[in-house]
Amino acid sequence: MIPLSYFLIAWFVFLAIYAIMALISMLQLVRLGIAGAGTFLSTAAFLVVVIVTVLGVTGYFLTVHWGQDVNLFGWATTSPYINP
Amino acid sequence: MLDVHHLPGSDLHESKIWTYRRHPITILSLFFITAMVFVLPIAGYIVLDFLYPGLFDVEANLALYVFVASIFFLCGWLFCFQMFIEYWLDVFIVTDKRVLDIDQKGLFDRTVSELRLYRVQDVTAQIKGVLHTVLDYGTVFIQTAGEQERFHFEDIPHPNQIAKNILEMSEIDRREHLEEAVEDFGMPDDNDSDKPHEKMARKMEP
């Protein structure tokens, strides 16, 4: 049984690494790309999708009760609130 | 950001600039991967819910699925973005003075090659394959005097037209750089028109 909160911590660690990688990618495109609508629009589209996804997932995670445990190898039968 | 009117090393007062990229058909896989990145997390939810009814009624299971699916989606989206960057930064720029080949591989491998138009000796267009022929895209090779290496631009649209125009532009530029050109090729026959660059500018519009 693994505490569900570990996944929340992993999510934040992932977000931190992801933010660095996304920033580097966007900087490369903006710095080296030819000034024009295509460069700006593609950067904006990438950023909008990322922000919407992160906000959506974070919004859902705020409603989750993180005190429970999860059985990774039998998750279909995991009972909620085993260890509230 | 690169302004095409301030190209790398530009001290040549270029008046006309054309930018070419690979044919969009060459990034067809990117569209497919992007579609998969959007569809798979939703499809995974539907399939799991069908195979294990009530699975996602358990809050922990749903949270775990959202955790995995969101990481998959964000990584996939970043991968697609980086594929797009590789395509977008890989450009072939032709001005009325020179040719620039900016070759981008991944995020951190970038090669900028430059060639003065008056040094162009031979330009070859190659369209090879059914898809290339139907969609009219291929490779343009540029041979310079005294060099074994050829400039080559792969998968660009309308290669025959571009090759023809580069050759004509180079002939015009050679007349303007007569001294340098004579060193490379010998004395050309002079048959100037009034405003050759203006005439070529109209032909080079992509």
Side-chain angles (χ1 to χ4, degrees):
Chain A
M1 301 292 276
I2 301 169
L4 196 59
S5 56
Y6 284 12
F7 293 99
L8 186 63
I9 296 164
W11 166 253
F12 285 125
V13 171
F14 166 76
L15 274 193
I17 297 167
Y18 189 85
I20 294 166
M21 291 173 68
L23 197 66
I24 290 170
S25 302
M26 284 190 295
L27 276 177
Q28 284 291 84
L29 179 58
V30 171
R31 198 163 63 91
L32 303 175
I34 291 171
T39 306
F40 286 114
L41 284 176
S42 54
T43 310
F46 170 75
L47 203 56
V48 165
V49 171
V50 169
I51 288 171
V52 167
T53 307
V54 170
L55 287 180
V57 172
T58 306
Y60 168 70
F61 280 173
L62 286 174
T63 67
V64 174
H65 178 250
W66 292 97
Q68 40 191 319
D69 291 344
V70 65
N71 183 1
L72 270 187
F73 301 102
W75 68 315
T77 57
T78 301
S79 301
Y81 309 116
I82 287 173
N83 184 20
Chain B
M1 182 163 283
L2 174 63
D3 186 338
V4 284
H5 295 287
H6 300 96
L7 291 170
S10 179
D11 56 349
L12 303 164
H13 311 293
E14 289 138 327
S15 56
K16 302 291 175 190
I17 297 165
W18 299 270
T19 305
Y20 302 100
R21 287 191 173 84
R22 280 182 282 139
H23 196 285
I25 196 76
T26 60
I27 53 163
L28 199 63
S29 60
L30 175 61
F31 295 111
F32 181 73
I33 293 169
T34 307
M36 287 295 105
V37 165
F38 275 88
V39 167
L40 279 180
I42 299 164
Y45 178 88
I46 294 167
V47 169
L48 283 173
D49 197 41
F50 177 76
L51 292 176
Y52 305 100
L55 174 69
F56 294 122
D57 293 342
V58 179
E59 188 186 36
N61 291 347
L62 186 59
L64 202 59
Y65 184 79
V66 171
F67 169 78
V68 173
S70 61
I71 287 178
F72 167 81
F73 176 78
L74 286 171
C75 287
W77 183 238
L78 183 63
F79 176 74
C80 292
F81 185 58
Q82 289 179 348
M83 272 182 81
F84 173 79
I85 289 174
E86 194 171 328
Y87 164 76
W88 194 253
L89 297 185
D90 199 4
V91 287
F92 165 40
I93 300 168
V94 180
T95 77
D96 52 356
K97 301 286 179 190
R98 59 187 174 150
V99 176
L100 276 164
D101 178 23
I102 301 176
D103 195 14
Q104 186 78 29
K105 288 194 178 99
L107 272 185
F108 304 107
D109 186 353
R110 184 175 170 85
T111 309
V112 181
S113 310
E114 183 182 326
L115 174 67
R116 301 292 166 99
L117 274 180
Y118 68 82
R119 300 206 65 220
V120 171
Q121 194 175 37
D122 180 51
V123 185
T124 309
Q126 184 187 53
I127 299 176
K128 196 176 179 180
V130 178
L131 199 61
H132 291 70
T133 307
V134 171
L135 298 174
D136 190 21
Y137 73 98
T139 307
V140 171
F141 298 95
I142 301 179
Q143 179 75 53
T144 57
E147 286 178 19
Q148 292 295 318
E149 268 309 296
R150 290 195 300 182
F151 258 58
H152 65 281
F153 313 104
E154 289 174 3
D155 298 330
I156 57 170
H158 316 301
N160 287 317
Q161 187 61 42
I162 291 171
K164 184 171 169 274
N165 291 337
I166 290 173
L167 204 58
E168 290 178 11
M169 287 283 281
S170 68
E171 283 169 9
I172 293 164
D173 197 48
R174 203 173 295 134
R175 292 187 191 114
E176 292 180 3
H177 294 84
L178 201 56
E179 284 184 19
E180 295 97 325
V182 165
E183 285 176 18
D184 287 338
F185 304 107
M187 184 67 78
D189 294 332
D190 199 12
N191 188 23
D192 276 332
S193 56
D194 289 341
K195 288 183 178 175
H197 279 89
E198 290 301 318
K199 199 171 77 179
M200 279 313 302
R202 287 192 292 276
K203 285 186 177 180
M204 289 287 285
E205 291 299 335

